[in-house]
């Protein structure tokens, strides 16, 4: 297709649609029925009519035609979702209730969560007069006495339809009622487009509804009337003999085209121009009789606004409803517009033959149909059409009605369609729509793993959503688009679900596997905390996938690597973010361990390699999580993890923190080798059993729990202690390490580190509180200002058990994400008696342990999902920034609908009057 050269600044994108039509309760079904050439008219047998409550005398009446475009379950509504009590719901017009649900689904289809949308959302809508008020409420004595007629009238006022939506969905843009009978819906669309161009709205919800209560499965035919004698609407056909009554509603969501493209919206079609005119008096034979001049004028005006010629229009959706006179008038107007040089062929379509005449909502049905035709590149066939009516036949090949499903592919010029709406009384609207801009085939690489998140107000609705997503997943062409739509375009409720997937096929497997769909109920907002790992669990390639796929992580790693290279002369991080290979410690994260071969050979597991590398990965993970909107309320780092904590908290600059880590590691590397061992006892229990640790030349290097400590010192002392403990039946475990960390063995370089800190560090109070390894409590400004603190941190034991007790007491509802490989810190939390088992699910790991076969990208994606699942806010827009993800069509909210209905009880309620006898 040729590139657009015209100014598109006034174009309006249709980004979301929803509808509830006869035989088609949703847009997917509507399109399928259109393509199949089926109508949605309900036609009942005499037995079915009697079973539905139609009186015997009416069933036996030869003039009764059992055909109507009915909606199902108009008495049912998910009241609690929209904040209505059962009492309020039952006195509200079902048109209001159905339109609320339809608006919700349309916004979901647009991928717009109004609660998170940065802009004004306007509502332009109209409905039919409330027959529920007249036929049910005012005919129920108890309802009138309980509520009062004035209240009942107010709750069913058709002009409050848009305000009902704006209030229920908390929309603060303009909320305007529109009414022009059968052109109401398109008039609402036109008004909404104007609001967008004027800057009054940034998103518009536009549509209309018409539901007549009580719903009757037929009507009485009268000779000379407008209704079909045989229950079939043959629009534009030679044998057209009348319309069929119908109910329905539809909503479109509109945005300025440039905004929709910037946000990656799925665009069904583009509204290029519109016009709304009244036919006046002189072109009509009567107030209720349509005229050709006015219909011609509105189409010509819309084309002029759109800047198109009749020869550029490919298709027109007409208002024609199968009445000989009305059809002929519209065809004559079409002939006036398209009977000019250059026009070769214009196809005509209609929805009345499929749905019946749905009054105020007819225009929105036609607009949705035309937009879907452009989107799917197909023209649906007409129903009940064999031969064109005589007026249409005179147009020759210029005006044609497709009788079979026809391809409508993109071509050399943009495809264009017109949509007509002619209202009773002469208010006409015409809209010109164009195919959506072609999507850019070039997209940034998708993440290896996608995070699907969904939620609902109840567990039943959330489970229903899972089932719907599972049924839909097989058709996903890009799971990244599905993930983006769910993350950014759906409201988050307290009953939450998540799954991590790698492809469409994997999504089907995941969504049908209870083990892979994680769930939480009653979720409320909570804060996050960061736990930054020390050395011990690191292994080659543990974050290679993240480095390759996450720009924020890669930038942080590269920044750290460059700084370390200045101090060390080499890159200590490369192996951790390269290809994943076998090898590595694979131990519980305690302190300073390394594989024996590396420790003995002075290789890549040396302190000058391990500590800077772990620092960099910890820091980069923290930066990544923060970039995704996971803001920590507290941080706690284990050993070298405290330095990354200080940098993330703002107590040290990254330059200061990396220099500190490098200097400390170089000083330690000059010292004699040492050993460490994990002992499953408290310090008092250990000394009671073996006496003073000083006799062995050992110190307690870490207190990880009430009965979980680490001892550190000279190798021969560790051997002696472990042998003595073994004799007492205590299974002490030697740790693979290069030095005796956090012990007196490091004192020889303490003064040098202090002197260096005095000259090179300018700590400041942290912007985010974090805990000190030395005390286990929040670090103080006094500690940070003391250059000797860093030496004490190096030589004194890590008070991790105190840190756990403090966090459990002061931040019991915080979700803690462990930044680093494995789950050792989480294991220590779970082993601490002050940390309750009910909070274990709030411990979230990021990188897999070495024995865990999962990729790091999958593990981090899972971590983010678990945080959201627990109630932590995630900035999904930031998460998707730069990914080129686009919104797509996904199943809408599974409403949990219950019956809310008041039946008429007063005599003379009128319930026996068939709908076809009313003026429509």
């Amino acid at each position: 297709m040729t590139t657009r050269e015209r100014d598109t600044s006034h174009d309006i994108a249709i980004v979301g649609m929803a509808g509830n039509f006869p035989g088609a309760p949703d847009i997917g079904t509507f399109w399928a029925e259109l393509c199949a050439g089926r109508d949605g008219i309900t036609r009942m047998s005499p037995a079915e009519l009697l079973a539905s409550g139609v009186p015997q005398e009416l069933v036996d009446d030869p003039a009764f035609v059992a055909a109507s475009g009915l909606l199902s379950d108009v008495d049912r509504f998910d009241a609690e979702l929209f904040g209505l009590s059962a009492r309020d719901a039952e006195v509200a017009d079902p048109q209001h209730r159905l339109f609320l649900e339809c608006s919700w689904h349309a916004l979901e289809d647009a991928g717009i969560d109004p609660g998170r949308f940065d802009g004004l959302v306007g509502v332009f809508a109209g409905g039919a007069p409330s027959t529920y008020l007249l036929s049910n409420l005012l005919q129920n004595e108890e309802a009138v006495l309980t509520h009062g007629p004035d209240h009942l009238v107010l709750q069913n006022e058709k002009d409050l339809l848009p305000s009902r939506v704006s209030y229920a969905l908390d929309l603060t843009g303009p909320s305007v009622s529109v009414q022009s009978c059968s052109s109401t819906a398109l008039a609402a669309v036109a008004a909404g487009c104007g609001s967008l161009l004027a800057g009054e709205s940034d998103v518009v919800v536009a549509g209309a509804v018409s539901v007549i209560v009580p719903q009757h499965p037929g009507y009485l035919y009268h000779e000379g009337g407008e209704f079909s004698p045989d229950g079939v609407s043959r629009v534009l056909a030679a044998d057209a003999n009348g319309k069929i009554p119908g109910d329905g509603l539809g909503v479109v969501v509109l945005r300025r085209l440039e905004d929709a493209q910037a946000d990656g919206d799925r665009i069904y079609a583009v509204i290029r121009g519109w016009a709304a005119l009244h036919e006046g008096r002189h072109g009509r034979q009567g107030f209720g009789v349509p005229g050709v001049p006015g219909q011609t004028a509105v189409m010509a005006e819309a084309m002029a606004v759109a800047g198109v010629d009749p020869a550029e229009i490919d298709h027109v959706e007409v208002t024609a409803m199968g009445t000989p006179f009305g059809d002929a008038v519209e065809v004559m107007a079409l002939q006036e517009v398209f009977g000019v040089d250059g026009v070769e062929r214009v196809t005509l379509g209609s929805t009345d033959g499929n749905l019946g005449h749905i009054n105020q909502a007819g225009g929105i049905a036609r607009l949705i149909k035309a937009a879907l035709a452009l989107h799917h590149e197909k023209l649906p066939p007409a129903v009940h059409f064999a031969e064109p009516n005589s007026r249409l036949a005179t147009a020759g090949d210029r005006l044609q009605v497709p009788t079979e499903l026809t391809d409508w592919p993109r071509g050399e010029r943009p495809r264009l369609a017109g949509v007509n709406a002619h209202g009773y009384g002469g208010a006409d609207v015409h809209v010109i729509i164009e195919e959506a801009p072609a999507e850019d085939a070039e997209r940034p690489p998708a993440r290896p793993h996608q995070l699907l998140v969904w939620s609902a107000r109840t567990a039943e609705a959330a489970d229903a959503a899972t089932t719907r997503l599972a049924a839909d997943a097989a058709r996903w062409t890009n799971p990244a688009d599905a993930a983006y739509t769910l993350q950014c375009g759906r409201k988050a409720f307290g009953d939450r679900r998540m799954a991590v997937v790698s492809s469409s096929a994997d999504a089907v497997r995941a969504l049908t596997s209870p083990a892979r769909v994680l769930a939480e109920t009653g979720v409320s907002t909570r804060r996050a905390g960061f736990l930054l790992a020390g050395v011990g669990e690191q292994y080659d390639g543990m974050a290679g996938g993240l480095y390759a796929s996450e720009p924020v992580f890669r930038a942080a790693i590269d920044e750290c690597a460059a700084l370390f290279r200045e101090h060390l002369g080499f890159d200590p991080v490369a192996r951790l973010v390269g290809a994943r290979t076998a090898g590595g410690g694979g131990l519980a994260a305690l302190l300073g361990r390394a594989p024996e071969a590396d420790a003995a050979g002075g290789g890549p597991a040396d302190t000058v390699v391990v500590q800077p590398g772990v620092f960099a990965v910890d820091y980069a993970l923290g930066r990544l999580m923060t970039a995704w909107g996971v803001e920590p309320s507290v941080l706690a780092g284990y050993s070298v993890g405290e330095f990354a904590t200080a940098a993330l908290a703002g107590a040290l600059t990254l330059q200061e923190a990396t220099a500190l880590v490098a200097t400390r590691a170089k000083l330690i590397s000059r010292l004699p080798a040492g050993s460490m061992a994990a002992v499953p006892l408290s310090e008092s229990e250990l000394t009671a059993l073996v006496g003073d640790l000083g006799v062995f030349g050992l110190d307690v290097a870490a207190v990880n729990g009430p009965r979980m400590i680490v001892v550190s010192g000279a190798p021969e002392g560790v051997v002696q202690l472990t042998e003595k403990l073994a004799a007492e039946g205590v299974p002490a475990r030697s740790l693979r390490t290069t030095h005796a960390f956090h012990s007196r063995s490091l004192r020889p370089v303490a003064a040098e580190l202090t002197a260096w800190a005095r000259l090179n560090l300018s700590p400041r109070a942290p912007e985010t509180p974090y805990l000190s390894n030395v005390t286990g409590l929040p670090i103080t400004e006094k500690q940070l200002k003391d250059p000797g603190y860093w030496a004490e941190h190096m030589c004194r034991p890590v008070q991790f058990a105190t840190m756990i007790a403090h966090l459990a007491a002061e931040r019991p509802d915080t979700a803690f994400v462990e930044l680093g490989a494995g789950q050792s810190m989480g294991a220590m939390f779970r082993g601490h008696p002050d940390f309750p088992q009910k909070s274990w699910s709030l411990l979230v790991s990021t990188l897999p342990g070495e024995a865990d076969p999962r990729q790091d990208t999958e593990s981090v994606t899972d971590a983010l999902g678990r945080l959201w699942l627990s109630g932590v806010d995630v900035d999904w827009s930031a998460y998707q920034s730069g990914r080129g993800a686009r919104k797509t069509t996904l199943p809408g909210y599974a409403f949990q609908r219950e019956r809310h209905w008041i039946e008429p009880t007063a005599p003379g309620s009128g319930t026996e009057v068939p709908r076809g006898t009313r003026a429509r």
Side-chain angles (χ1 to χ4, degrees):
M1 187 183 112
T2 56
T3 304
R4 293 184 173 204
E5 297 180 356
R6 66 179 184 85
D7 178 13
T8 61
S9 61
H10 288 76
D11 285 1
I12 302 298
I14 301 175
V15 297
M17 301 192 296
N20 186 355
F21 303 115
D26 56 70
I27 293 299
T29 305
F30 180 49
W31 178 248
E33 293 295 291
L34 288 171
C35 291
R38 291 189 290 264
D39 71 34
I41 303 303
T42 298
R43 298 180 177 89
M44 291 186 180
S45 67
E48 291 172 326
L49 290 169
L50 292 172
S52 70
V54 177
Q56 181 71 58
E57 59 270 22
L58 199 57
V59 174
D60 295 338
D61 191 327
F64 183 71
V65 180
S68 187
L70 303 178
L71 302 183
S72 61
D73 298 329
V74 299
D75 58 340
R76 305 181 71 82
F77 178 56
D78 192 340
E80 292 185 6
L81 177 68
F82 294 97
L84 273 72
S85 67
R87 179 187 176 98
D88 289 339
E90 69 179 7
V91 299
D93 189 336
Q95 294 185 118
H96 288 208
R97 293 156 18 181
L98 291 167
F99 196 78
L100 272 174
E101 293 180 345
C102 196
S103 297
W104 183 289
H105 274 166
L107 284 165
E108 283 191 324
D109 189 56
I112 295 173
D113 173 9
R116 288 182 286 170
F117 180 74
D118 184 18
L120 295 174
V121 180
V123 181
F124 295 81
S130 178
T131 53
Y132 180 63
L133 171 70
L134 300 174
S135 297
N136 289 46
L137 300 180
L138 295 180
Q139 302 299 329
N140 183 291
E141 294 177 355
E142 182 180 355
V144 173
L145 290 173
T146 300
H147 299 282
D150 54 342
H151 179 75
L152 296 177
V153 170
L154 191 64
Q155 293 303 306
N156 289 267
E157 170 56 58
K158 64 179 176 57
D159 290 337
L160 287 178
L161 177 67
S163 288
R164 175 85 75 177
V165 174
S166 296
Y167 176 79
L169 304 186
D170 194 23
L171 311 179
T172 56
S175 192
V176 180
S177 176
V178 179
Q179 181 57 248
S180 56
C181 289
S182 294
S183 60
T184 294
L186 283 197
V189 168
C193 289
S195 180
L196 287 166
L197 293 185
E200 295 175 331
S201 303
D202 300 295
V203 166
V204 159
V205 174
V209 56
S210 177
V211 178
I212 304 301
V213 173
Q215 285 202 313
H216 282 290
Y219 54 89
L220 288 172
Y221 170 73
H222 297 284
E223 187 71 32
E226 289 189 331
F227 288 92
S228 169
D230 58 0
V232 176
S233 178
R234 303 173 178 85
V235 178
L236 300 178
D239 53 351
N241 56 5
K243 66 180 182 180
I244 300 172
D247 294 321
L249 63 151
V251 172
V252 293
V253 177
L254 310 174
R255 297 190 73 182
R256 292 179 287 269
L257 176 60
E258 57 187 1
D259 294 341
Q261 290 177 308
D263 282 357
D265 291 348
R266 179 253 296 102
I267 301 172
Y268 287 108
V270 173
I271 297 178
R272 185 163 162 177
W274 60 91
L277 304 174
H278 195 277
E279 296 180 15
R281 178 178 180 180
H282 296 292
R284 298 168 66 89
Q285 298 179 29
F287 179 70
V289 183
V292 174
Q295 293 190 13
T296 301
V298 77
M299 286 188 280
E301 177 69 16
M303 290 182 197
V305 171
V308 301
D309 296 324
E312 297 177 81
I313 302 296
D314 302 289
H315 179 78
V316 176
E317 283 293 316
V318 299
T319 303
M321 60 185 101
T323 58
F325 180 77
D327 287 13
V329 169
E330 190 163 8
V331 169
M332 292 170 67
L334 289 166
Q335 288 174 323
E336 287 283 336
V337 172
F338 295 105
V340 296
D341 292 341
V343 176
E344 296 181 358
R345 178 176 180 267
V346 177
T347 56
L348 305 179
S350 167
T351 57
D352 271 51
N354 302 85
L355 311 177
H357 187 62
I358 59 175
N359 300 291
Q360 283 84 350
I364 205 71
R366 292 189 288 278
L367 180 63
I368 289 173
K369 175 188 173 184
L372 288 172
L374 287 168
H375 181 66
H376 292 292
E377 302 185 15
K378 300 282 185 183
L379 279 173
V383 294
H384 312 304
F385 184 93
E387 298 292 334
N389 68 25
S390 57
R391 178 63 64 177
L392 183 61
T394 63
D397 293 335
R398 277 183 171 165
L399 299 178
Q400 296 185 8
V401 177
T403 56
E404 59 184 22
L405 185 63
T406 306
D407 289 334
W408 191 18
R410 290 177 181 262
E412 292 300 314
R413 62 169 178 81
R415 294 165 299 149
L416 290 159
V419 183
N420 262 341
H422 305 306
Y424 184 90
D428 298 337
V429 183
H430 190 76
V431 174
I432 304 293
I433 66 173
E434 181 178 292
E435 65 186 29
E439 292 184 347
D440 188 355
E442 296 295 325
R443 300 176 62 174
R447 287 185 169 96
H449 295 89
Q450 299 300 327
L451 176 58
L452 307 179
V453 295
W454 64 100
S455 64
R457 193 185 60 81
T458 66
E460 294 78 10
D463 290 339
T466 305
T467 301
R468 291 184 177 188
L469 286 171
D472 193 62
R475 70 169 188 82
W476 295 351
T477 57
N478 192 328
D481 292 346
Y484 175 49
T485 304
L486 291 171
Q487 292 161 5
C488 295
R490 300 295 169 94
K491 180 179 175 63
F493 292 94
D495 276 271
R496 300 187 174 188
R497 306 288 186 269
M498 63 154 284
V500 177
V501 303
S502 58
S503 65
S504 297
D506 187 48
V508 175
R509 292 190 294 268
L511 292 167
T512 54
S513 169
R516 290 186 62 183
V517 174
L518 304 185
E520 285 290 344
T521 60
V523 175
S524 57
T525 301
R526 71 175 73 250
R527 300 297 301 275
F530 288 175
L531 306 176
L532 284 78
V535 299
E537 292 271 5
Q538 74 283 344
Y539 56 90
D540 289 352
M542 68 181 191
L546 289 177
Y547 185 79
S549 63
E550 295 295 343
V552 171
F553 183 84
R554 182 167 58 251
I557 288 289
D558 289 346
E559 188 177 8
C560 290
L563 291 169
F564 281 129
R565 193 177 290 110
E566 293 178 8
H567 295 289
L568 302 173
F570 64 90
D571 179 1
V573 195
R575 288 175 63 122
L576 298 183
V577 295
R580 186 172 180 176
T581 59
L587 301 173
L590 292 167
L591 291 170
R593 279 88 76 210
E596 291 176 353
D598 288 337
D606 278 349
T607 297
V608 292
V609 177
V610 172
Q611 293 190 359
V614 169
F615 169 94
V617 172
D618 284 359
Y619 175 78
L621 284 170
R623 287 284 301 274
L624 184 63
M625 285 290 170
T626 303
W628 291 343
V630 181
E631 294 285 350
S633 60
V634 66
L635 301 98
Y638 195 105
S639 188
V640 70
E642 183 173 335
F643 305 130
T645 294
L648 291 171
L652 295 176
T653 66
L654 182 60
Q655 290 77 8
E656 289 174 325
T658 51
L660 173 59
V661 171
T663 300
R664 179 181 184 271
K666 288 190 290 185
L667 290 173
I668 293 173
S669 69
R670 300 199 320 240
L671 296 172
S675 296
M676 304 176 74
V679 179
L681 299 172
S682 67
E683 183 176 1
S684 60
E685 289 173 331
L686 177 61
T687 56
L689 191 62
V690 302
D692 185 4
L693 292 179
V695 174
F696 301 91
L698 304 179
D699 294 306
V700 173
V703 181
N704 295 328
R707 304 190 75 224
M708 186 186 301
I709 64 174
V710 175
V711 296
S712 179
E716 59 274 13
V718 172
V719 171
Q720 292 171 7
L721 177 66
T722 55
E723 288 178 348
K724 186 166 185 177
L725 289 174
E728 298 291 339
V730 178
R733 179 165 57 89
S734 295
L735 304 179
R736 293 176 292 180
T737 182
T738 57
H739 292 82
F741 295 101
H742 295 282
S743 74
R744 72 186 76 180
S745 298
L746 306 187
R747 283 287 173 191
V749 296
E752 192 173 348
L753 182 60
T754 300
W756 179 90
R758 182 176 289 108
L759 292 174
N760 294 280
L761 301 183
S762 299
R764 60 211 58 84
E767 298 168 6
T768 304
Y770 76 89
L771 305 188
S772 162
N773 278 209
V774 176
T775 64
L777 301 174
I779 198 160
T780 65
E781 193 169 358
K782 181 179 178 181
Q783 286 174 302
L784 287 168
K785 295 294 185 181
D786 178 8
Y789 173 79
W790 312 104
E792 292 305 303
H793 177 279
M794 179 175 64
C795 300
R796 292 177 60 179
V798 177
Q799 299 293 341
F800 197 68
T802 303
M803 298 165 76
I804 296 173
H806 174 83
L807 293 173
E810 299 297 324
R811 301 174 185 273
D813 297 322
T814 301
F816 292 104
V817 54
E818 183 171 351
L819 306 181
Q823 304 179 40
S824 297
M825 297 179 78
M828 288 187 276
F829 268 77
R830 286 186 286 271
H832 197 289
D834 290 354
F835 196 79
Q837 187 171 352
K838 67 179 182 179
S839 297
W840 288 6
S841 63
L842 300 179
L843 298 168
V844 178
S845 62
T846 49
L847 298 180
E850 188 178 8
D852 187 340
R854 291 183 302 165
Q855 298 177 45
D856 57 323
T857 51
E858 178 183 2
S859 183
V860 166
T861 303
D862 179 77
L864 187 66
R866 287 175 186 268
L867 288 171
W868 176 83
L869 202 65
S870 73
V872 174
D873 286 336
V874 175
D875 186 343
W876 295 116
S877 295
Y879 179 68
Q880 292 288 359
S881 179
R883 292 289 167 179
R886 298 167 183 155
K887 294 172 185 175
T888 189
T889 300
L890 294 175
Y893 189 91
F895 297 124
Q896 302 300 289
R897 308 175 79 203
E898 297 180 356
R899 192 170 194 266
H900 299 286
W901 202 254
I902 293 178
E903 297 286 359
T905 58
S909 65
T911 55
E912 76 282 358
V913 180
R915 61 189 298 160
T917 63
R918 294 190 181 89
R920 301 287 284 186

